[in-house]
Structure formats: structure tokens, C-alpha cells
Amino acid sequence: MQITVRLTEEIREAYPFGAIGLGTPLEFVVVSNVLFGAEYDDPPGWCVPSTSTQAKSFTPICHHLYAFSGQISDVLVEDEEDDRYYHALVDCQVPISLFGAQAFDGGASGKQAIPRRGQFLVGFAYMNLDWADDVTVPLTKPLAGTVVAIDRLILRPGPGFGQNRSESEVLPVPLGPDQIFLTIDVHS
């Protein structure tokens, strides 16, 4: 299976081996941006617990944007003053780490329901890469794979602005406003 994830500046800086090129083996985890339940127009995406069993799927939409459906294997909940956050490890053909938030709703419990272990979760989210040995997300399952494509979205002013360009490597230099997307052939 091949997946495409965004390589952020922070994660690229943490890569200890210099350049990342075509054929580079990686040990990584797939993580989402923060998601809000049923906020369907929220730019980072959304997720909701399913009331029924769903087929597991991880469907690419564009670059690192995916529609997903999977079963929650673990959940960690953190309460703060006005919000409740949770991390969920979801099996969607590949394990993904979702970071979700629920606002207090003023109901009988004072809080909205948090997805629970065993439940199915469906949603739409941008997926990023983090390193398996240096992960900052509390619930993850490492993957191994090989880089098979590197795409750069040019966002620097000037020629090529707004265009995608295939590259053979990502050098250890600042990405600037450009965005890098790695397509990785995940080993089973």
C-alpha cells in the first residue's frame, strides 16, 4: 500500500540522517492535525464515531488529505478547563494517530461523548508524518516503508508559484513556505 503524507519543517529538521531521497527507508507514524467532531466545514478536517461497523478504509483525496474509516484500538483523554482532547489510535488499513477535540456542551454530563475503544470512527483529515523513534504523539503504531515519490508545492513568490514539482530528494535546508509531500510504499 502507498500513502502520501506531509513532511513538515519541524519533522524534517528532526530527521537525523541528512537528505531524504527516493528509495530512502523510513520508520514513521501517520498523525492527523487536530480534528473537531462533526465540524464538517473545519479546514483541518473532522471525525465522528460511527453508530455501525464500517469497512476499514484510508482513501486518498488530494496530496495528504484522506477520507478514513477505522476501528479505534486505543484512546487517551485529556481534560482542560473548557475543552476535552483525545488521542485515538485507529486501524484504517494502516494505523493512524488522530488528535481530536470536543468542546463542553452543557449537557447532563457537561461534556460531549468521546470516541471509545472498539468503536468505529469515520472522517476526513490531513495526514502528516512523524518519526517512529522520536514521536511526540502519545498513541502510535510505527510503520516501515520506502520513499517512492517526493512532491514539492512551490509557495515561494516567483516563477512556479502554486505549482507541484517532483523531486528526487529533500535536502536538510529550510523548506520556506514550500510544502513537501512524501509518497511512501508501506511494507507489510
Side-chain angles (χ1 to χ4, degrees), residues 104-148:
F104 286 112
D105 69 358
S109 70
K111 299 174 185 169
Q112 294 176 345
I114 294 291
R116 60 187 186 283
R117 186 177 294 127
Q119 197 171 29
F120 276 76
L121 199 64
V122 296
F124 186 73
Y126 289 95
M127 297 295 166
N128 300 306
L129 171 136
D130 202 349
W131 305 120
D133 62 348
D134 190 34
V135 71
T136 57
V137 178
L139 297 176
T140 61
K141 184 172 181 186
L143 296 168
T146 304
V147 176
V148 295

Side-chain angles (χ1 to χ4, degrees), residues 42-62:
D42 200 26
W46 54 268
C47 61
V48 295
S50 174
T51 57
S52 63
T53 300
Q54 302 286 315
K56 294 177 183 178
S57 66
F58 193 62
T59 307
I61 305 300
C62 178

Side-chain angles (χ1 to χ4, degrees), residues 64-169:
H64 67 305
L65 179 62
Y66 283 83
F68 62 87
S69 173
Q71 189 171 25
I72 300 170
S73 59
D74 205 357
V75 176
L76 175 68
V77 179
E78 301 171 4
D79 283 327
E80 290 193 7
E81 190 173 312
D82 293 329
D83 294 308
R84 176 176 265 190
Y85 296 95
Y86 64 92
H87 298 273
L89 184 58
V90 184
D91 179 6
C92 303
Q93 295 179 328
V94 295
I96 61 174
S97 297
L98 297 178
F99 179 43
Q102 299 285 346
F104 286 112
D105 69 358
S109 70
K111 299 174 185 169
Q112 294 176 345
I114 294 291
R116 60 187 186 283
R117 186 177 294 127
Q119 197 171 29
F120 276 76
L121 199 64
V122 296
F124 186 73
Y126 289 95
M127 297 295 166
N128 300 306
L129 171 136
D130 202 349
W131 305 120
D133 62 348
D134 190 34
V135 71
T136 57
V137 178
L139 297 176
T140 61
K141 184 172 181 186
L143 296 168
T146 304
V147 176
V148 295
I150 301 170
D151 292 303
R152 179 182 293 264
L153 174 59
I154 307 295
L155 296 174
R156 287 171 275 127
F161 179 79
Q163 295 179 0
N164 286 304
R165 179 176 70 202
S166 293
E167 299 194 342
S168 60
E169 66 182 356

